Amino acid sequence: MLRIINIGLLIAFSLCYLEWGQGQSSFIFQVIYELFSKKSDLVSSLTHPLILAGLIGHLLLLYCIFKKTPDKRINTIGVLILSPVVLLVLLAGALSMNLKIVASALPFTILSVLYFLKYRKQTHS
């Protein structure tokens, strides 16, 4: 069950929708592709704290998905690293009253709550 939640978290994070300016929008997976396709700016992009945190969070969740028995601390750190980015997207959508942005951030938020409920249930058992 934890592996399914982790896969869902990665997919939900990648499908967060961003909108800015006049007619400019993209999903996080499109932004990630753009960052890694431009090799000239790759080093400067990876040193940005927000991008570096997102990359580390992705790698930690991927590690926990493929490991036979994932470490709960590493998994929790991965979820906690990705959460502020999604919460910023959710806040931006709520403040601009943009339903598409809010709706795109809700799956990650719901899966994060499910993860922590499951994690809490396992630690108390």
Side-chain angles (χ1 to χ4, degrees):
M1 179 71 170
L2 193 57
R3 186 169 286 145
I4 293 171
I5 290 174
N6 282 337
I7 293 169
L9 284 167
L10 281 178
I11 293 170
F13 180 80
S14 297
L15 293 177
C16 282
Y17 180 73
L18 309 166
E19 240 180 46
W20 64 97
Q22 292 290 337
Q24 295 180 345
S25 63
S26 67
F27 291 96
I28 287 184
F29 74 88
Q30 291 173 313
V31 173
I32 292 170
Y33 175 76
E34 284 291 321
L35 288 173
F36 285 108
S37 65
K38 295 180 182 176
K39 293 189 172 135
S40 61
D41 296 338
L42 186 59
V43 174
S44 64
S45 295
L46 288 179
T47 57
H48 189 281
L50 193 61
I51 295 170
L52 188 60
L55 179 63
I56 291 171
H58 261 97
L59 291 175
L60 290 175
L61 286 182
L62 279 172
Y63 173 76
C64 290
I65 288 170
F66 290 114
K67 191 167 181 191
K68 194 170 200 170
T69 55
D71 185 0
K72 292 176 193 165
R73 286 179 289 164
I74 292 175
N75 203 1
T76 301
I77 290 169
V79 174
L80 290 175
I81 287 174
L82 294 177
S83 293
V85 177
V86 176
L87 291 176
L88 282 172
V89 170
L90 185 63
L91 179 66
L95 291 176
S96 66
M97 296 179 31
N98 188 329
L99 189 59
K100 290 187 285 188
I101 296 175
V102 172
S104 74
L106 285 179
F108 183 90
T109 308
I110 292 167
L111 286 169
S112 295
V113 169
L114 284 174
Y115 168 76
F116 285 110
L117 289 175
K118 179 157 181 59
Y119 176 71
R120 185 171 158 192
K121 191 183 293 183
Q122 286 179 351
T123 56
H124 289 295
S125 299

